[in-house]
Amino acid sequence: MTLVEIRALRHRVLHDIDLTLAPGKLAVLAGRSGSGKSTLCHLIAGIMPPASGDVLVGGRPAHRVTDWATVSLLPQRPALDPELTVAENVFLPSRVRRRAADPGLLDRLGLGPIAARPARDTSLGEQQRTAMARALVLVPAVTVLDEPTAHQDDEHVSLVLDAITAVVRDGTLAVVATHDPRVIDLADRVIPIVSGTC
């Protein structure tokens, strides 16, 4: 994917970015809050098109890729349906696509014991892991994870890291925005973002 210049509102948020990221790798976007990491995540995930330049996934503009099996997103705010159970939220993409999903994913992220609980009745850390499981359920070509270890204790951070390394091993490109040195230590590539550029 190549990123040249991206504008949001009337302010230049990202500029002079030129990246190509390969499948089966963990690429970490590292930088201070406000540096543009989340904006870059949104562009790669196709939530918004760039004002100029190109963001391509598999040769197609990212904002035109709507298939969750191609690009999935864990946003900073989990965006779960509060009325659905944890399991229903996780498996929603596979149900929509009528694809079998790995039921062991819930246990790998420590969600098995709360699978039948409505999302509204879970902690922030549990909601974050639920949204992460939803992002990984189709083993997408690209997954964009914005602060995946947020709100997790050490035990659950380990589960999150294991889930990321497992999906990368299966061929997914994982693009992770994080401050967490435990994630950075696992990266195949660390991309420092400083004032909207890298």
Side-chain angles (χ1 to χ4, degrees), residues 70-91:
T70 302
V71 181
S72 69
L73 173 67
L74 167 67
Q76 281 190 6
R77 293 186 178 141
L80 302 174
D81 185 323
E83 303 303 316
L84 295 181
T85 67
V86 166
E88 288 168 338
N89 272 286
V90 168
F91 296 123

Side-chain angles (χ1 to χ4, degrees), residues 29-44:
L29 307 177
R32 294 182 176 190
S33 295
S35 62
K37 298 188 309 297
S38 290
T39 300
L40 188 51
C41 284
H42 292 167
L43 288 163
I44 295 168

Side-chain angles (χ1 to χ4, degrees), residues 114-188:
I114 61 166
R117 190 179 301 170
R120 67 172 181 268
D121 295 336
T122 60
S123 72
L124 195 51
E126 291 165 341
Q127 290 173 23
Q128 185 84 347
R129 283 181 282 119
T130 299
M132 181 170 174
R134 180 185 59 193
L136 301 181
V137 70
L138 292 177
V139 192
V142 179
T143 189
V144 181
L145 309 172
D146 199 347
E147 302 290 355
T149 58
H151 315 294
Q152 306 300 322
D153 58 26
D154 287 343
E155 175 189 350
H156 292 113
V157 165
S158 294
L159 297 179
V160 167
L161 297 180
D162 289 346
I164 294 171
T165 55
V167 77
V168 167
R169 199 166 45 242
D170 287 340
T172 294
L173 165 62
V175 180
V176 180
T178 188
H179 300 280
D180 192 331
R182 295 167 293 188
V183 182
I184 293 169
D185 287 345
L186 294 174
D188 296 298

